[in-house]
């Protein structure tokens, strides 16, 4: 149900700093995977850092594909040419920025949300509940096992306004 978000809204939600060319449109899709961008002109690419890859490495290629808005870490540095082609929102941590956007979106959905958590059995319980509830309601649910600190926000972005109830699966994390 991603609400169409402006750069100013994203800056406020993420407590980020905007750099680069002023993007005047709105964002209707958020992606963390450069291979899964459907509407580049309406997409925000979140450059997550992982153990094996840094999402920021994909920015030049994504600009060529038409993506114009990126959420990047505070220490990300770019050459001036990229700054003339796209808008960048620098945040302390892109995962936390993604979570902040998801929290904002979660507040927009005022219908019931069921949370399934625990150390095991989450996915099967979510699927079972989804089957039962779908007999009476239009149900949104976490795809696959999207129960991580990144998967839960992505699941929230999948909730549409026509859904009557949502079921989200959340795993257990270590305390930082």
């Amino acid at each position: 149900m991603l609400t169409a978000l402006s750069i100013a809204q994203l800056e406020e939600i993420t407590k980020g700093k905007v750099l680069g060319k002023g993007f005047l449109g709105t964002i209707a899709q958020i992606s963390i995977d450069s291979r899964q961008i459907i509407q580049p002109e309406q997409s925000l690419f979140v450059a997550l850092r992982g153990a094996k890859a840094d999402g920021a490495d994909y920015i030049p290629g994504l600009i060529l594909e038409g993506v114009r808005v990126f959420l990047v870490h505070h220490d990300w540095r770019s050459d001036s040419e990229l700054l003339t082609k796209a808008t960048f929102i620098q945040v302390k941590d892109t995962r936390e920025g993604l979570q902040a956007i998801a929290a904002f979106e979660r507040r927009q959905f005022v219908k019931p949300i069921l949370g399934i958590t625990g150390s095991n059995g989450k996915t099967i319980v979510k699927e079972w509940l989804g089957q039962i509830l779908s007999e009476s309601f239009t149900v949104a649910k976490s795809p696959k096992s999207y129960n991580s600190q990144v998967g839960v926000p992505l699941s929230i972005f999948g909730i549409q306004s026509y859904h009557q109830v949502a079921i989200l699966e959340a795993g257990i994390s270590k305390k930082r």
Side-chain angles (χ1 to χ4, degrees):
M1 168 180 92
L2 187 63
T3 307
L5 297 169
S6 69
I7 294 299
Q9 287 173 303
L10 288 167
E11 181 180 28
E12 182 179 337
I13 292 166
T14 63
K15 297 180 179 23
K17 176 184 174 187
V18 176
L19 303 172
K21 181 181 176 183
F23 176 78
L24 300 176
T26 56
I27 296 301
Q29 178 189 6
I30 295 180
S31 181
I32 62 164
D33 187 335
S34 63
R35 300 164 297 184
Q36 296 182 347
I37 294 180
I38 299 168
Q39 300 172 311
E41 67 284 349
Q42 295 180 335
S43 293
L44 168 68
F45 180 76
V46 180
L48 295 171
R49 287 183 177 157
K52 297 181 182 179
D54 184 344
D57 294 342
Y58 298 95
I59 290 173
L62 288 167
I63 289 174
L64 290 174
E65 291 180 26
V67 178
R68 293 294 175 260
V69 184
F70 299 87
L71 191 67
V72 295
H73 276 80
H74 66 94
D75 61 355
W76 175 81
R77 299 288 176 253
S78 172
D79 59 49
S80 58
E81 183 182 344
L82 286 182
L83 294 174
T84 65
K85 296 179 179 179
T87 299
F88 301 89
I89 304 169
Q90 281 188 317
V91 294
K92 179 181 173 189
D93 181 295
T94 53
R95 182 178 42 82
E96 290 175 5
L98 177 71
Q99 292 169 346
I101 298 167
F104 173 84
E105 287 297 315
R106 164 58 186 98
R107 289 189 296 274
Q108 308 312 303
F109 188 74
V110 296
K111 299 167 190 166
I113 292 184
L114 302 172
I116 308 295
T117 190
S119 56
N120 57 34
K122 296 176 294 298
T123 303
I124 192 72
V125 170
K126 175 200 65 182
E127 293 298 328
W128 173 73
L129 258 172
Q131 280 187 327
I132 291 170
L133 289 174
S134 67
E135 292 176 10
S136 302
F137 303 98
T138 306
V139 178
K141 58 185 176 147
S142 301
K144 304 177 187 175
S145 292
Y146 277 34
N147 61 26
S148 68
Q149 292 183 11
V150 171
V152 172
L154 295 176
S155 297
I156 289 171
F157 300 143
I159 301 171
Q160 302 298 317
S161 60
Y162 61 83
H163 288 121
Q164 296 171 297
V165 64
I167 305 170
L168 300 178
E169 176 181 347
I172 297 173
S173 294
K174 293 179 182 177
K175 191 173 183 180
R176 282 198 204 192

